[in-house]
Amino acid sequence: MLLAPVTVLEQQYQHLHDDGQDVIQGLLGNPKTLSPKYFYDDRGSLLFEEICDLPEYYPTRTEASILQQYAGEIAELTNCCELIELGSGSSTKTQLLLDAYQKISHTCRYLPVDVSGGILKTSVLQLKDKYPQIDIHGLLGTYEQALFHLESNYLQSRLLFFLGSSLGNFSQQECDRFLTQVSTTLKTGDFLLLGVDLHKDKGILEPAYNDAQGVTAAFNLNMLTHLNWRFNGNFDTNLFKHQATYNLKERQIEMRLHCQESHWVNLASLDLQVFFEAGESILTEISRKFDLLQMSQQLESKGLKTVRTWKDDNGWFGLILCQKSL
């Protein structure tokens, strides 16, 4: 059982929970797919934290360097009292923002949102110890559940932020739907801070998702272990192999699990049996790479006007701060 203060959104909004219907649809499709949300059980979240520290994985340290330099400027530009983070994880980079806001305001609230209860509970309790003057309350659930919950909670001026490169996990259609929901959640004058991974050479991109230590491979394969636990399945992770490649035409990393030999898989809780051919693959993640100007134009089409953008010296990663207009 989670310790307070964490609200379990799934219990409050059962109608938003799909009970694995997306798994059924994805595994019966051609090609087979799975949602990246199934990466993030407690072990998956810890493996991702390890990925963020790998030498090949540039996004986390690059984005952190941008925040290190500009967090104070972001705080001054927004002067918000309520900070909401989607996909908070360990909230490590977030502390750069919390430090900056703490310098300009004594009345600040931070709402981290994550689907992993273990890492959310741990980070909330640690942050409450470090920032006793900040009201910190975790929200356990999906982005959609959190945004639905927040619509009825207009307390103070808001900064909603979505860091890392998680936006790239959405298809263009999913991204459009997500930004529409974000715009609906924010009121006029509220802010959105968005982290975006930028298009670059595949010689930089592909090693970031195929690290030499095999942590990303373990992270990818753990999705099958998570499905076994969640839906009473019998995936054998030894029968699958991780691979990530960059699709230059679509400007996206495509991460897959390749089946090594033909076999059946059963997910009893879903009453689902799936046959895998040798050589067949499951697409587990896309990670789209963006252009700052094009993303700013898409945000503006949703009523989110760009206030400022920042990127690192190499032009590998960018932050976009925008404000909800009428």
Side-chain angles (χ1 to χ4, degrees):
M1 182 175 178
L2 290 174
L3 299 177
V6 172
T7 296
V8 185
L9 298 179
E10 186 175 293
Q11 292 177 357
Q12 294 187 343
Y13 304 103
Q14 287 288 347
H15 61 285
L16 292 177
H17 185 47
D18 56 23
D19 292 323
Q21 292 304 306
D22 56 345
V23 174
I24 296 172
Q25 184 177 358
L27 291 181
L28 293 181
N30 186 19
K32 291 179 170 65
T33 62
L34 286 168
S35 169
K37 74 182 183 184
Y38 293 108
F39 285 133
Y40 298 103
D41 62 354
D42 287 346
R43 181 169 185 264
S45 295
L46 291 173
L47 285 168
F48 184 72
E49 294 298 319
E50 289 185 40
I51 288 171
C52 291
D53 291 331
L54 293 170
E56 300 97 331
Y57 194 76
Y58 63 86
T60 303
R61 63 175 179 272
T62 305
E63 185 180 42
S65 71
I66 300 171
L67 286 170
Q68 183 78 49
Q69 189 170 356
Y70 297 110
E73 186 176 342
I74 292 167
E76 292 289 348
L77 284 169
T78 60
N79 195 31
C80 290
C81 296
E82 186 172 73
L83 312 177
I84 304 153
E85 182 175 13
L86 300 179
S88 56
S90 64
S91 300
T92 303
K93 287 177 295 185
T94 310
Q95 295 180 49
L96 297 169
L97 285 170
L98 294 180
D99 290 340
Y101 278 97
Q102 192 171 248
K103 290 179 181 178
I104 65 170
S105 174
H106 294 292
T107 56
C108 182
R109 187 181 191 211
Y110 172 52
L111 302 176
V113 178
D114 207 272
V115 293
S116 172
I119 201 165
L120 181 64
K121 180 182 77 170
T122 299
S123 62
V124 165
L125 295 177
Q126 289 176 345
L127 289 172
K128 286 181 72 67
D129 283 341
K130 185 171 183 179
Y131 301 95
Q133 69 278 38
I134 297 178
D135 178 19
I136 300 173
H137 191 103
L139 300 177
L140 175 60
T142 65
Y143 307 146
E144 294 85 357
Q145 289 166 340
L147 292 172
F148 182 91
H149 172 79
L150 291 168
E151 285 181 344
S152 60
N153 286 269
Y154 288 79
L155 298 178
Q156 308 171 73
S157 60
R158 281 178 172 163
L159 171 69
L160 178 70
F161 54 102
F162 193 34
L163 301 177
S165 52
S166 297
L167 186 71
N169 298 152
F170 298 153
S171 67
Q172 180 59 52
Q173 183 179 13
E174 291 168 336
C175 181
D176 188 76
R177 186 165 59 245
F178 170 76
L179 293 177
T180 296
Q181 190 177 10
V182 166
S183 183
T184 301
T185 299
L186 299 178
K187 61 188 177 187
T188 301
D190 285 345
F191 293 90
L192 170 68
L193 180 66
L194 192 60
V196 288
D197 199 7
L198 304 178
H199 173 65
K200 61 188 72 65
D201 187 86
K202 67 181 292 184
I204 300 167
L205 287 167
E206 288 191 348
Y209 296 83
N210 293 286
D211 65 277
Q213 297 179 48
V215 181
T216 310
F219 174 71
N220 200 7
L221 288 163
N222 183 67
M223 177 184 281
L224 304 183
T225 304
H226 181 197
L227 292 177
N228 283 345
W229 170 80
R230 188 162 182 173
F231 299 115
N232 192 21
N234 67 342
F235 274 108
D236 183 348
T237 58
N238 294 315
L239 298 181
F240 291 87
K241 185 177 180 181
H242 160 81
Q243 185 185 48
T245 56
Y246 188 54
N247 183 329
L248 181 60
K249 181 180 178 181
E250 300 295 332
R251 291 195 169 188
Q252 63 188 28
I253 284 283
E254 296 172 352
M255 199 151 78
R256 292 181 169 86
L257 291 170
H258 290 280
C259 179
Q260 302 301 292
E261 61 182 66
S262 299
H263 67 287
W264 285 91
V265 169
N266 180 47
L267 294 171
S269 298
L270 300 179
D271 193 24
L272 177 67
Q273 286 189 320
V274 182
F275 184 71
F276 285 86
E277 295 274 4
E280 190 177 13
S281 65
I282 313 170
L283 179 67
T284 55
E285 181 182 72
I286 62 170
S287 185
R288 297 165 59 221
K289 308 305 171 186
F290 298 97
D291 174 87
L292 278 178
L293 179 58
Q294 291 176 357
M295 179 51 64
S296 292
Q297 291 169 344
Q298 184 175 359
L299 288 163
E300 189 152 358
S301 74
K302 302 297 180 183
L304 299 165
K305 185 176 178 58
T306 298
V307 175
R308 196 156 302 176
T309 63
W310 301 271
K311 58 183 179 180
D312 63 288
D313 292 341
N314 291 320
W316 288 358
F317 202 95
L319 289 178
I320 303 175
L321 177 67
C322 46
Q323 188 171 27
K324 175 69 180 290
S325 56
L326 294 175

